[in-house]
Structure formats: structure tokens, C-alpha cells
Amino acid sequence: MSNDAQLRIEKLRALMRERNVDIYIVPTADYHGSEYVGEYFKCREYITGFTGSAGTALITGNEAYLWTDGRYFIQAESELEGSNVVLMRAGDDNVPTIAEFLDDNLKEGQTVGFDGRVVSANLGKKYSEIAKKHGAGIDCSLDLISEIWDERPDLPENRVWILKEEFSGESTASKIEKVREKMDKEGCDFFVLTSLYDIMWLLNLRGSDIEHVPVALSFVILSQNEIRLYINNDIIDDEAGEYLNENKVTLREYFSFYEDIRQLKNVMLSIADVSYAVYENVRGGCDDNLKNRPNPTELLKAKKNDIEIQNTIKAHIKDGVAVTKFMYWLKNNIGKIEITESDAADHIDNLRGQQEGFLDLSFDTISAYGANAAMMHYTAKRGQDAKLEPKGFLLVDSGAHYLEGTTDITRTFVLGELSEKQKKLYTAVLKGNLNLASAVFLYGCRGVNLDILARKPLWDMDLDYKCGTGHGVGHILNVHEGPNAFRWRVADPANPGAVLEENMITTDEPGVYLEGEFGIRIENELVCKSGEKNEYGQFMHFDTITYAPIDLDAVLPELMTEEERRLLNDYHSMVYEVISPYLTEDERNWLRENTRSV
């Protein structure tokens, strides 16, 4: 891929010279700010050869750079080798952001180019301000990659389907009414929505335009008396068309959205969640035309209703059965038959596929053995993947979409002999997981207030992990959902994250990753619940809704407090009670032993 990347970059540079562009920016993004993107939008991967899900390329006349975060440093270093693309380790000391790089390097008279449809409004504004400061220009109309990508995939044309109210828990009409109430409160005539997750939630629709993310490419403009859905009409069948008509939804052609938003006045939108092209078109040269407010849909969908919670628990029971059966198979076959990382991933994927109501994986299964697990988002490639041996760890991060809900779980399995160091670190990760799950806190706390509970056992050892501790989980949508999260690092002090609300679901996944050695992560999902209310305020706590054994073969009980051991034993008692009815007698006996008290 390195030679291919060099050739493509040279083609891009020739086009840049032709268009008088000195610096060209290629993010990992679609027109909707999605975390993961479809094949059509993988421009950054095409130009650099780096296949991770997050990163931005910056190309100058002589240099090429790739910014990515700590999840992908090891992977990017490997995939960029020989390409002359410089890896910029975002977040590391002395590594500038792209904006800082432009500020340091942009010269008077130069032009920065990008496709404004795939660059966020906030970044586009920042790039424009820097260009103006240096007497340079911005051209945000350039999709240059499309001009050199001869066999660029087509935009998807997959049918949408309706998530019925027995699974969504709330009608589309009710959701629209709540958003209109917010618009009325803000005194706005129009609400512009470009987030695919929010659009699908609002309309109780699902699609398959992004792999493992059940969404359909679309935009929405909502007023007090009309809702317009901008979408490829060919993917709307008779049933969906009738359903949308019943909900008074007007269908418009997907790309006509950009023209239509130019005509709007008194608009509410979230600048943080729209592209620079959307912002500029709505703004029309005047910020007075818009009110920058968080998408009301984001918080509404993050606070799951009771039916969504009940259904999600059903999904987790199915998922726990699949993970438990996988662990039983792995433990009984390691060292007896040949198993590769890909074989292990295929096996757990197949077990999920056997569960009633299974729709799809919620992301590509991460099956990482030994040193490969030090790469947080490692992808095993058949023929190049590691063979499992009866020693060390296998880390499996996986999940699924079921008709009832979405799951995300990580387990680190012991395949055989471990060092004392591995056991100590595994126990520290486990302690962090249990401590966060057992938190009791006053309403008003955010993830930033609680993150230390998960990290403390590792920080006590002068260790850390370069990612957040947990993320919100979508309901048959994107597995990574905001605004709730657990993390200590706050990019914007004025925006420390969302207050943890009742029925928000957030993952609890501390870990440790030692390059060249191994990786450990233990992940469960937590649902936030209200507890005691007294003169001090409303107390909150978490219920764990992930049901699968945690491998006891790596646990050093003597390093755990009595309370931590009780938490582990209580969790395993719950796992056995919930999962055992769905197992064979042999599997049930095995589970009893592997959920024993410590």
C-alpha cells in the first residue's frame, strides 16, 4: 500500500497545483459527521493507506501528514511504513493540532482547500480564521479525492425499515412533538438536523448505509407544520412510504438539502454537529440567522425509555449466552485444535448469529492475541493473523445489534500460563471496572467526576490508558453514542460533558496496553438509575446489564479489598442466575465453576 499511497498523493499534488491549493485537508468523515463512514467516504484511507476509523490527512506540496489518536498509534505506524506519510500522534507532547500546524506554516497568499461537506463547522471556522490571520485563503468547495479516485464506490442504495413502537418505546409523532416544543421555547422557525443517528431515532427508521451502523444517509428540516426528509427515494418502499406519509413527512431528494437550507430564516442547529458547508449555507453571511443550540434529539435518545431498557436487557441476555458459550468453547479447545484470531472472531460471531432477533454485529469483532491486543482497535486479517497458543491472553471486544437493542462487551481470556505481571495488571483493570460500576453519586455528576474510580488502580502503579473509560451506547444505532461518557481529559473546559441521567447507558471499560507485550480490557455496560433522595439531594447509581463471566484464572484475590471481592462475587452470582438456564448441562457445570466465589 505504501507505493500506492505515494502515487495517489502525487496525483493529488498535481491537482492541487492546477487549482492553486497549497495545503489540502482530508478528514475521515461523511456529510453527517458520522463516527464510522461508508466505503464512498473513505477518502483519507484511499490517500494514505491507513485503515483506522479515525484520522485526518494533510497534504502540502512537499509533505504528507496523518493525525490520529492513541487508539491507532501502533496500527498507523505499521500501515504508513514506506509511504513517506508522517504520523502525527495527536495528544502527545509537542505534537501540534492541525489548526496549530496551519498557524505555524501557512503563508500569505496561500490557499487551504477541503470539502466543506465533510469538515465540521467548528474546524472550518477555525481554519478560516487562521487563513485570514495570515492573509491566506480558504476554498471549501473542493472534493479533489473524487477526481483522482477512478473506481470510487457508489453511494449506498439500501432499503430503510421501520423500528416498530414495541421496540422503540415511543412514537415518531411524540418525538417530533418534543423537538417542536424545544423549537418553540427557543423561538425558532426551523430546526436543521444532519446527524444520521438522531434522524433515525426521531423517525423510528433504520437502514444499512454504514457497515454495522443501521442508518440511512439523510437530512431533516423540521418546522412547526412540516418535516422534510432528504433521502434517496429509491430506498423507500411502499410500507416505509406509507408510514412516513402517516407521520406527515415530506420526501425530498438527498442533495437538494444544500440548496433548500439557503432559503431558511431563524434556524436552530448545533454548530458542533453540522458540517462547514451546512453552517455557511444556513448562515448566509450572517450569524444572526441561526441559534446555536445542542440537538435536542441527542439528549432525548441518550435517555432511554423504559421499553428500550427492558428490551436492551433482553438483548444482553442473548449476548451473554453467546459470549459464555464462546468462552466455554475457547477454554476447552485451546491447545487441542488450531485456532487463529480470525477463527475465534468467526466463532463468537456465529454464536451471536444463532440468537433470535440478531440483526448484525455492532462493529467488527476485535480478536487480538498477545502483543496484538496492545493495539486498541486491532483488526485480525486472515492469513496474517496470530495462532492462539495455550499461554497468555486473548482480548475479544465485540457486540451486536438485536431487534431489542445493542451490545458492546470486552473480555480478556486466559489461554494458559501467565506472568505475575500479567495477573497484577489484570487484577488492577478488574478492580477499576468494579469500582466504577459500584459508584453511588449525587445527581449532577458527569463522567469526568467518576472516571478516577476506574483509573485509580492503574494510576497507583504509574500506568494509564490513552482513551476514555466509557461511552454511551445507541439503541440499534451507533454503538458509540453521546453525550454521556466516562473520561478525565476534557478538551473544552466550558463543556465538561453531560450530566449522568436516569436510563443513560454507558460502558465501563478500563484497560492497559503495553506495546510489544499484551493488552487487557474488561468491559460491561451500565445503566444509570435513581437511588435515595434526601436532604443532600438525589443519589444515583448504576446497574450492570452485561451478563458474561470475567476470567478468574488471572485474578489475584489477595490484591483486592474485601468489598471488591464481594462485588465480583455478586456479579458472578448474577451472571450464573441469568445465563445458566440457556446452557447445556456441561456448559452450566462449567459456568458454575467459573463464577465461583473468590
mmCIF file of all heavy atoms in Angstrom, residues 146-187:
data_model
loop_
_atom_site.group_PDB
_atom_site.id
_atom_site.type_symbol
_atom_site.label_atom_id
_atom_site.label_comp_id
_atom_site.label_asym_id
_atom_site.label_seq_id
_atom_site.Cartn_x
_atom_site.Cartn_y
_atom_site.Cartn_z
ATOM 1 N N SER A 146 -12.151 12.789 -5.109
ATOM 2 C CA SER A 146 -13.095 12.205 -6.063
ATOM 3 C C SER A 146 -12.553 12.284 -7.482
ATOM 4 O O SER A 146 -12.820 11.402 -8.312
ATOM 5 C CB SER A 146 -14.440 12.931 -5.977
ATOM 6 O OG SER A 146 -15.434 12.247 -6.699
ATOM 7 N N GLU A 147 -11.770 13.306 -7.773
ATOM 8 C CA GLU A 147 -11.262 13.495 -9.131
ATOM 9 C C GLU A 147 -10.105 12.565 -9.469
ATOM 10 O O GLU A 147 -9.803 12.368 -10.652
ATOM 11 C CB GLU A 147 -10.859 14.950 -9.323
ATOM 12 C CG GLU A 147 -12.023 15.927 -9.184
ATOM 13 C CD GLU A 147 -11.634 17.346 -9.547
ATOM 14 O OE1 GLU A 147 -10.927 17.524 -10.557
ATOM 15 O OE2 GLU A 147 -12.028 18.277 -8.812
ATOM 16 N N ILE A 148 -9.446 12.000 -8.459
ATOM 17 C CA ILE A 148 -8.347 11.067 -8.745
ATOM 18 C C ILE A 148 -8.700 9.623 -8.400
ATOM 19 O O ILE A 148 -7.966 8.703 -8.743
ATOM 20 C CB ILE A 148 -7.064 11.470 -7.986
ATOM 21 C CG1 ILE A 148 -7.260 11.355 -6.468
ATOM 22 C CG2 ILE A 148 -6.629 12.874 -8.375
ATOM 23 C CD1 ILE A 148 -5.970 11.530 -5.678
ATOM 24 N N TRP A 149 -9.837 9.411 -7.730
ATOM 25 C CA TRP A 149 -10.269 8.070 -7.317
ATOM 26 C C TRP A 149 -11.115 7.481 -8.442
ATOM 27 O O TRP A 149 -12.325 7.645 -8.499
ATOM 28 C CB TRP A 149 -11.072 8.180 -6.020
ATOM 29 C CG TRP A 149 -11.315 6.882 -5.302
ATOM 30 C CD1 TRP A 149 -11.105 5.623 -5.772
ATOM 31 C CD2 TRP A 149 -11.823 6.737 -3.977
ATOM 32 N NE1 TRP A 149 -11.437 4.690 -4.835
ATOM 33 C CE2 TRP A 149 -11.886 5.344 -3.707
ATOM 34 C CE3 TRP A 149 -12.231 7.624 -2.988
ATOM 35 C CZ2 TRP A 149 -12.342 4.835 -2.493
ATOM 36 C CZ3 TRP A 149 -12.683 7.121 -1.777
ATOM 37 C CH2 TRP A 149 -12.744 5.747 -1.534
ATOM 38 N N ASP A 150 -10.445 6.749 -9.340
ATOM 39 C CA ASP A 150 -11.086 6.273 -10.571
ATOM 40 C C ASP A 150 -12.229 5.302 -10.312
ATOM 41 O O ASP A 150 -13.221 5.301 -11.049
ATOM 42 C CB ASP A 150 -10.052 5.601 -11.489
ATOM 43 C CG ASP A 150 -9.023 6.598 -12.013
ATOM 44 O OD1 ASP A 150 -9.383 7.788 -12.124
ATOM 45 O OD2 ASP A 150 -7.879 6.202 -12.290
ATOM 46 N N GLU A 151 -12.089 4.467 -9.321
ATOM 47 C CA GLU A 151 -13.120 3.461 -9.054
ATOM 48 C C GLU A 151 -13.743 3.694 -7.680
ATOM 49 O O GLU A 151 -13.943 2.767 -6.903
ATOM 50 C CB GLU A 151 -12.535 2.053 -9.149
ATOM 51 C CG GLU A 151 -12.020 1.736 -10.553
ATOM 52 C CD GLU A 151 -11.462 0.334 -10.663
ATOM 53 O OE1 GLU A 151 -11.475 -0.403 -9.669
ATOM 54 O OE2 GLU A 151 -11.009 -0.027 -11.758
ATOM 55 N N ARG A 152 -14.060 4.939 -7.412
ATOM 56 C CA ARG A 152 -14.678 5.276 -6.134
ATOM 57 C C ARG A 152 -16.020 4.553 -6.012
ATOM 58 O O ARG A 152 -16.830 4.568 -6.946
ATOM 59 C CB ARG A 152 -14.897 6.783 -6.023
ATOM 60 C CG ARG A 152 -15.428 7.222 -4.663
ATOM 61 C CD ARG A 152 -15.461 8.735 -4.543
ATOM 62 N NE ARG A 152 -15.836 9.146 -3.186
ATOM 63 C CZ ARG A 152 -15.831 10.412 -2.751
ATOM 64 N NH1 ARG A 152 -15.468 11.386 -3.567
ATOM 65 N NH2 ARG A 152 -16.175 10.696 -1.503
ATOM 66 N N PRO A 153 -16.287 3.898 -4.886
ATOM 67 C CA PRO A 153 -17.571 3.203 -4.716
ATOM 68 C C PRO A 153 -18.749 4.174 -4.838
ATOM 69 O O PRO A 153 -18.614 5.373 -4.590
ATOM 70 C CB PRO A 153 -17.478 2.634 -3.297
ATOM 71 C CG PRO A 153 -16.013 2.588 -2.994
ATOM 72 C CD PRO A 153 -15.406 3.742 -3.721
ATOM 73 N N ASP A 154 -19.892 3.636 -5.218
ATOM 74 C CA ASP A 154 -21.103 4.448 -5.311
ATOM 75 C C ASP A 154 -21.667 4.703 -3.921
ATOM 76 O O ASP A 154 -21.390 3.962 -2.969
ATOM 77 C CB ASP A 154 -22.166 3.732 -6.148
ATOM 78 C CG ASP A 154 -21.748 3.576 -7.602
ATOM 79 O OD1 ASP A 154 -21.018 4.456 -8.109
ATOM 80 O OD2 ASP A 154 -22.142 2.569 -8.230
ATOM 81 N N LEU A 155 -22.487 5.739 -3.803
ATOM 82 C CA LEU A 155 -23.254 5.917 -2.580
ATOM 83 C C LEU A 155 -24.203 4.737 -2.422
ATOM 84 O O LEU A 155 -24.716 4.204 -3.415
ATOM 85 C CB LEU A 155 -24.060 7.223 -2.640
ATOM 86 C CG LEU A 155 -23.272 8.510 -2.433
ATOM 87 C CD1 LEU A 155 -24.138 9.716 -2.790
ATOM 88 C CD2 LEU A 155 -22.763 8.625 -1.004
ATOM 89 N N PRO A 156 -24.441 4.282 -1.206
ATOM 90 C CA PRO A 156 -25.275 3.084 -0.996
ATOM 91 C C PRO A 156 -26.737 3.327 -1.367
ATOM 92 O O PRO A 156 -27.210 4.470 -1.354
ATOM 93 C CB PRO A 156 -25.125 2.802 0.505
ATOM 94 C CG PRO A 156 -24.766 4.128 1.091
ATOM 95 C CD PRO A 156 -23.942 4.841 0.062
ATOM 96 N N GLU A 157 -27.432 2.245 -1.678
ATOM 97 C CA GLU A 157 -28.859 2.310 -2.015
ATOM 98 C C GLU A 157 -29.601 1.184 -1.306
ATOM 99 O O GLU A 157 -30.266 0.365 -1.932
ATOM 100 C CB GLU A 157 -29.070 2.231 -3.531
ATOM 101 C CG GLU A 157 -28.493 3.418 -4.290
ATOM 102 C CD GLU A 157 -28.820 3.383 -5.777
ATOM 103 O OE1 GLU A 157 -29.315 2.332 -6.249
ATOM 104 O OE2 GLU A 157 -28.589 4.398 -6.464
ATOM 105 N N ASN A 158 -29.479 1.141 0.007
ATOM 106 C CA ASN A 158 -30.089 0.074 0.799
ATOM 107 C C ASN A 158 -31.420 0.526 1.387
ATOM 108 O O ASN A 158 -31.559 1.658 1.839
ATOM 109 C CB ASN A 158 -29.140 -0.342 1.932
ATOM 110 C CG ASN A 158 -27.778 -0.755 1.405
ATOM 111 O OD1 ASN A 158 -27.680 -1.581 0.503
ATOM 112 N ND2 ASN A 158 -26.723 -0.168 1.954
ATOM 113 N N ARG A 159 -32.395 -0.367 1.392
ATOM 114 C CA ARG A 159 -33.735 -0.045 1.874
ATOM 115 C C ARG A 159 -33.740 0.291 3.363
ATOM 116 O O ARG A 159 -32.988 -0.285 4.145
ATOM 117 C CB ARG A 159 -34.680 -1.233 1.651
ATOM 118 C CG ARG A 159 -34.852 -1.613 0.186
ATOM 119 C CD ARG A 159 -35.889 -0.756 -0.492
ATOM 120 N NE ARG A 159 -36.010 -1.074 -1.899
ATOM 121 C CZ ARG A 159 -37.135 -0.960 -2.590
ATOM 122 N NH1 ARG A 159 -38.220 -0.519 -1.977
ATOM 123 N NH2 ARG A 159 -37.172 -1.241 -3.872
ATOM 124 N N VAL A 160 -34.603 1.219 3.731
ATOM 125 C CA VAL A 160 -34.817 1.504 5.147
ATOM 126 C C VAL A 160 -35.898 0.576 5.683
ATOM 127 O O VAL A 160 -36.666 -0.011 4.922
ATOM 128 C CB VAL A 160 -35.230 2.971 5.387
ATOM 129 C CG1 VAL A 160 -34.154 3.919 4.913
ATOM 130 C CG2 VAL A 160 -36.562 3.286 4.724
ATOM 131 N N TRP A 161 -35.947 0.433 7.009
ATOM 132 C CA TRP A 161 -37.010 -0.340 7.639
ATOM 133 C C TRP A 161 -37.485 0.383 8.893
ATOM 134 O O TRP A 161 -36.803 1.266 9.405
ATOM 135 C CB TRP A 161 -36.563 -1.769 7.955
ATOM 136 C CG TRP A 161 -35.314 -1.918 8.764
ATOM 137 C CD1 TRP A 161 -34.031 -1.860 8.303
ATOM 138 C CD2 TRP A 161 -35.216 -2.176 10.177
ATOM 139 N NE1 TRP A 161 -33.130 -2.056 9.337
ATOM 140 C CE2 TRP A 161 -33.825 -2.266 10.497
ATOM 141 C CE3 TRP A 161 -36.154 -2.359 11.193
ATOM 142 C CZ2 TRP A 161 -33.382 -2.507 11.788
ATOM 143 C CZ3 TRP A 161 -35.703 -2.601 12.486
ATOM 144 C CH2 TRP A 161 -34.334 -2.675 12.763
ATOM 145 N N ILE A 162 -38.673 0.033 9.326
ATOM 146 C CA ILE A 162 -39.323 0.723 10.438
ATOM 147 C C ILE A 162 -39.064 -0.027 11.741
ATOM 148 O O ILE A 162 -39.287 -1.237 11.824
ATOM 149 C CB ILE A 162 -40.844 0.825 10.196
ATOM 150 C CG1 ILE A 162 -41.133 1.523 8.857
ATOM 151 C CG2 ILE A 162 -41.530 1.551 11.348
ATOM 152 C CD1 ILE A 162 -42.544 1.282 8.345
ATOM 153 N N LEU A 163 -38.574 0.693 12.752
ATOM 154 C CA LEU A 163 -38.438 0.116 14.086
ATOM 155 C C LEU A 163 -39.765 0.341 14.803
ATOM 156 O O LEU A 163 -40.102 1.461 15.186
ATOM 157 C CB LEU A 163 -37.288 0.776 14.858
ATOM 158 C CG LEU A 163 -36.995 0.180 16.239
ATOM 159 C CD1 LEU A 163 -36.475 -1.247 16.109
ATOM 160 C CD2 LEU A 163 -35.995 1.040 17.005
ATOM 161 N N LYS A 164 -40.524 -0.710 14.960
ATOM 162 C CA LYS A 164 -41.882 -0.572 15.488
ATOM 163 C C LYS A 164 -41.861 -0.140 16.949
ATOM 164 O O LYS A 164 -40.895 -0.335 17.681
ATOM 165 C CB LYS A 164 -42.634 -1.887 15.295
ATOM 166 C CG LYS A 164 -42.820 -2.225 13.819
ATOM 167 C CD LYS A 164 -43.625 -3.484 13.597
ATOM 168 C CE LYS A 164 -43.797 -3.741 12.090
ATOM 169 N NZ LYS A 164 -44.523 -5.002 11.817
ATOM 170 N N GLU A 165 -42.985 0.423 17.356
ATOM 171 C CA GLU A 165 -43.060 1.053 18.678
ATOM 172 C C GLU A 165 -42.855 0.062 19.814
ATOM 173 O O GLU A 165 -42.395 0.432 20.896
ATOM 174 C CB GLU A 165 -44.407 1.761 18.828
ATOM 175 C CG GLU A 165 -44.405 2.836 19.890
ATOM 176 C CD GLU A 165 -45.661 3.688 19.858
ATOM 177 O OE1 GLU A 165 -46.179 3.960 18.750
ATOM 178 O OE2 GLU A 165 -46.120 4.073 20.951
ATOM 179 N N GLU A 166 -43.139 -1.209 19.589
ATOM 180 C CA GLU A 166 -42.915 -2.206 20.640
ATOM 181 C C GLU A 166 -41.428 -2.349 20.954
ATOM 182 O O GLU A 166 -41.053 -2.844 22.019
ATOM 183 C CB GLU A 166 -43.489 -3.564 20.215
ATOM 184 C CG GLU A 166 -42.826 -4.157 18.984
ATOM 185 C CD GLU A 166 -43.562 -5.387 18.477
ATOM 186 O OE1 GLU A 166 -43.386 -6.457 19.097
ATOM 187 O OE2 GLU A 166 -44.269 -5.275 17.466
ATOM 188 N N PHE A 167 -40.586 -1.897 20.031
ATOM 189 C CA PHE A 167 -39.135 -1.929 20.257
ATOM 190 C C PHE A 167 -38.564 -0.529 20.514
ATOM 191 O O PHE A 167 -37.604 -0.382 21.258
ATOM 192 C CB PHE A 167 -38.427 -2.571 19.067
ATOM 193 C CG PHE A 167 -38.834 -4.007 18.843
ATOM 194 C CD1 PHE A 167 -39.632 -4.350 17.759
ATOM 195 C CD2 PHE A 167 -38.456 -5.001 19.732
ATOM 196 C CE1 PHE A 167 -40.025 -5.671 17.553
ATOM 197 C CE2 PHE A 167 -38.841 -6.316 19.544
ATOM 198 C CZ PHE A 167 -39.633 -6.654 18.450
ATOM 199 N N SER A 168 -39.139 0.490 19.894
ATOM 200 C CA SER A 168 -38.635 1.855 20.091
ATOM 201 C C SER A 168 -39.162 2.472 21.380
ATOM 202 O O SER A 168 -38.513 3.339 21.969
ATOM 203 C CB SER A 168 -39.033 2.747 18.914
ATOM 204 O OG SER A 168 -40.425 2.999 18.919
ATOM 205 N N GLY A 169 -40.360 2.062 21.795
ATOM 206 C CA GLY A 169 -40.923 2.564 23.042
ATOM 207 C C GLY A 169 -41.590 3.914 22.956
ATOM 208 O O GLY A 169 -42.182 4.380 23.939
ATOM 209 N N GLU A 170 -41.522 4.574 21.805
ATOM 210 C CA GLU A 170 -42.146 5.892 21.659
ATOM 211 C C GLU A 170 -42.434 6.143 20.191
ATOM 212 O O GLU A 170 -41.628 5.806 19.323
ATOM 213 C CB GLU A 170 -41.227 6.990 22.211
ATOM 214 C CG GLU A 170 -41.857 8.367 22.209
ATOM 215 C CD GLU A 170 -40.976 9.434 22.839
ATOM 216 O OE1 GLU A 170 -39.804 9.116 23.154
ATOM 217 O OE2 GLU A 170 -41.441 10.575 22.995
ATOM 218 N N SER A 171 -43.562 6.753 19.924
ATOM 219 C CA SER A 171 -43.951 7.011 18.532
ATOM 220 C C SER A 171 -43.142 8.153 17.936
ATOM 221 O O SER A 171 -42.630 9.030 18.650
ATOM 222 C CB SER A 171 -45.436 7.355 18.451
ATOM 223 O OG SER A 171 -45.680 8.627 19.033
ATOM 224 N N THR A 172 -43.060 8.153 16.611
ATOM 225 C CA THR A 172 -42.403 9.254 15.911
ATOM 226 C C THR A 172 -43.111 10.569 16.186
ATOM 227 O O THR A 172 -42.467 11.604 16.403
ATOM 228 C CB THR A 172 -42.396 8.963 14.394
ATOM 229 O OG1 THR A 172 -41.574 7.819 14.157
ATOM 230 C CG2 THR A 172 -41.857 10.140 13.602
ATOM 231 N N ALA A 173 -44.438 10.538 16.200
ATOM 232 C CA ALA A 173 -45.205 11.769 16.450
ATOM 233 C C ALA A 173 -44.850 12.375 17.802
ATOM 234 O O ALA A 173 -44.704 13.599 17.932
ATOM 235 C CB ALA A 173 -46.705 11.465 16.384
ATOM 236 N N SER A 174 -44.698 11.529 18.829
ATOM 237 C CA SER A 174 -44.339 12.004 20.163
ATOM 238 C C SER A 174 -42.949 12.634 20.173
ATOM 239 O O SER A 174 -42.727 13.689 20.781
ATOM 240 C CB SER A 174 -44.408 10.848 21.161
ATOM 241 O OG SER A 174 -43.890 11.233 22.414
ATOM 242 N N LYS A 175 -42.016 11.999 19.487
ATOM 243 C CA LYS A 175 -40.652 12.526 19.437
ATOM 244 C C LYS A 175 -40.613 13.873 18.718
ATOM 245 O O LYS A 175 -39.944 14.821 19.180
ATOM 246 C CB LYS A 175 -39.733 11.519 18.746
ATOM 247 C CG LYS A 175 -39.538 10.226 19.517
ATOM 248 C CD LYS A 175 -38.669 9.234 18.738
ATOM 249 C CE LYS A 175 -38.449 7.952 19.529
ATOM 250 N NZ LYS A 175 -37.591 6.990 18.802
ATOM 251 N N ILE A 176 -41.314 13.971 17.598
ATOM 252 C CA ILE A 176 -41.342 15.221 16.842
ATOM 253 C C ILE A 176 -41.951 16.337 17.688
ATOM 254 O O ILE A 176 -41.459 17.475 17.686
ATOM 255 C CB ILE A 176 -42.123 15.030 15.528
ATOM 256 C CG1 ILE A 176 -41.331 14.122 14.567
ATOM 257 C CG2 ILE A 176 -42.420 16.374 14.860
ATOM 258 C CD1 ILE A 176 -42.092 13.723 13.319
ATOM 259 N N GLU A 177 -42.993 15.996 18.431
ATOM 260 C CA GLU A 177 -43.643 16.996 19.274
ATOM 261 C C GLU A 177 -42.678 17.531 20.332
ATOM 262 O O GLU A 177 -42.653 18.736 20.629
ATOM 263 C CB GLU A 177 -44.883 16.400 19.935
ATOM 264 C CG GLU A 177 -45.685 17.381 20.783
ATOM 265 C CD GLU A 177 -46.170 18.597 20.000
ATOM 266 O OE1 GLU A 177 -46.444 18.464 18.786
ATOM 267 O OE2 GLU A 177 -46.260 19.682 20.601
ATOM 268 N N LYS A 178 -41.856 16.674 20.917
ATOM 269 C CA LYS A 178 -40.885 17.111 21.923
ATOM 270 C C LYS A 178 -39.859 18.067 21.319
ATOM 271 O O LYS A 178 -39.454 19.046 21.961
ATOM 272 C CB LYS A 178 -40.186 15.900 22.536
ATOM 273 C CG LYS A 178 -41.067 15.091 23.475
ATOM 274 C CD LYS A 178 -40.327 13.880 24.017
ATOM 275 C CE LYS A 178 -41.223 13.089 24.965
ATOM 276 N NZ LYS A 178 -40.551 11.854 25.461
ATOM 277 N N VAL A 179 -39.441 17.777 20.088
ATOM 278 C CA VAL A 179 -38.472 18.660 19.435
ATOM 279 C C VAL A 179 -39.129 20.000 19.109
ATOM 280 O O VAL A 179 -38.512 21.060 19.273
ATOM 281 C CB VAL A 179 -37.903 18.000 18.164
ATOM 282 C CG1 VAL A 179 -36.973 18.961 17.434
ATOM 283 C CG2 VAL A 179 -37.144 16.719 18.520
ATOM 284 N N ARG A 180 -40.356 19.962 18.659
ATOM 285 C CA ARG A 180 -41.064 21.216 18.347
ATOM 286 C C ARG A 180 -41.261 22.064 19.595
ATOM 287 O O ARG A 180 -41.208 23.305 19.524
ATOM 288 C CB ARG A 180 -42.395 20.902 17.669
ATOM 289 C CG ARG A 180 -42.225 20.514 16.195
ATOM 290 C CD ARG A 180 -43.535 20.203 15.511
ATOM 291 N NE ARG A 180 -43.344 20.095 14.074
ATOM 292 C CZ ARG A 180 -44.050 19.295 13.276
ATOM 293 N NH1 ARG A 180 -45.017 18.523 13.795
ATOM 294 N NH2 ARG A 180 -43.816 19.267 11.977
ATOM 295 N N GLU A 181 -41.482 21.434 20.725
ATOM 296 C CA GLU A 181 -41.599 22.185 21.975
ATOM 297 C C GLU A 181 -40.296 22.925 22.272
ATOM 298 O O GLU A 181 -40.317 24.077 22.723
ATOM 299 C CB GLU A 181 -41.935 21.232 23.131
ATOM 300 C CG GLU A 181 -43.358 20.703 23.100
ATOM 301 C CD GLU A 181 -43.605 19.639 24.155
ATOM 302 O OE1 GLU A 181 -42.672 19.373 24.967
ATOM 303 O OE2 GLU A 181 -44.708 19.066 24.172
ATOM 304 N N LYS A 182 -39.181 22.280 22.004
ATOM 305 C CA LYS A 182 -37.882 22.921 22.200
ATOM 306 C C LYS A 182 -37.700 24.075 21.222
ATOM 307 O O LYS A 182 -37.206 25.160 21.602
ATOM 308 C CB LYS A 182 -36.764 21.889 22.015
ATOM 309 C CG LYS A 182 -35.362 22.440 22.186
ATOM 310 C CD LYS A 182 -35.081 22.873 23.605
ATOM 311 C CE LYS A 182 -33.618 23.262 23.776
ATOM 312 N NZ LYS A 182 -33.328 23.749 25.141
ATOM 313 N N MET A 183 -38.098 23.885 19.964
ATOM 314 C CA MET A 183 -38.017 24.952 18.970
ATOM 315 C C MET A 183 -38.859 26.154 19.398
ATOM 316 O O MET A 183 -38.418 27.302 19.289
ATOM 317 C CB MET A 183 -38.512 24.442 17.610
ATOM 318 C CG MET A 183 -37.618 23.424 16.948
ATOM 319 S SD MET A 183 -38.428 22.667 15.506
ATOM 320 C CE MET A 183 -38.762 24.115 14.492
ATOM 321 N N ASP A 184 -40.054 25.878 19.880
ATOM 322 C CA ASP A 184 -40.953 26.944 20.304
ATOM 323 C C ASP A 184 -40.341 27.719 21.483
ATOM 324 O O ASP A 184 -40.397 28.952 21.531
ATOM 325 C CB ASP A 184 -42.304 26.343 20.695
ATOM 326 C CG ASP A 184 -43.354 27.405 20.974
ATOM 327 O OD1 ASP A 184 -43.592 28.249 20.100
ATOM 328 O OD2 ASP A 184 -43.926 27.389 22.077
ATOM 329 N N LYS A 185 -39.741 26.983 22.401
ATOM 330 C CA LYS A 185 -39.099 27.609 23.562
ATOM 331 C C LYS A 185 -37.947 28.516 23.131
ATOM 332 O O LYS A 185 -37.707 29.570 23.732
ATOM 333 C CB LYS A 185 -38.593 26.518 24.509
ATOM 334 C CG LYS A 185 -38.019 27.038 25.813
ATOM 335 C CD LYS A 185 -37.626 25.893 26.731
ATOM 336 C CE LYS A 185 -37.042 26.409 28.032
ATOM 337 N NZ LYS A 185 -36.629 25.299 28.940
ATOM 338 N N GLU A 186 -37.228 28.100 22.084
ATOM 339 C CA GLU A 186 -36.093 28.883 21.592
ATOM 340 C C GLU A 186 -36.531 29.971 20.617
ATOM 341 O O GLU A 186 -35.712 30.799 20.194
ATOM 342 C CB GLU A 186 -35.078 27.959 20.897
ATOM 343 C CG GLU A 186 -34.411 26.960 21.818
ATOM 344 C CD GLU A 186 -33.462 27.613 22.811
ATOM 345 O OE1 GLU A 186 -33.115 28.808 22.626
ATOM 346 O OE2 GLU A 186 -33.063 26.956 23.781
ATOM 347 N N GLY A 187 -37.821 29.967 20.234
ATOM 348 C CA GLY A 187 -38.319 30.971 19.307
ATOM 349 C C GLY A 187 -37.788 30.809 17.902
ATOM 350 O O GLY A 187 -37.538 31.805 17.200
#
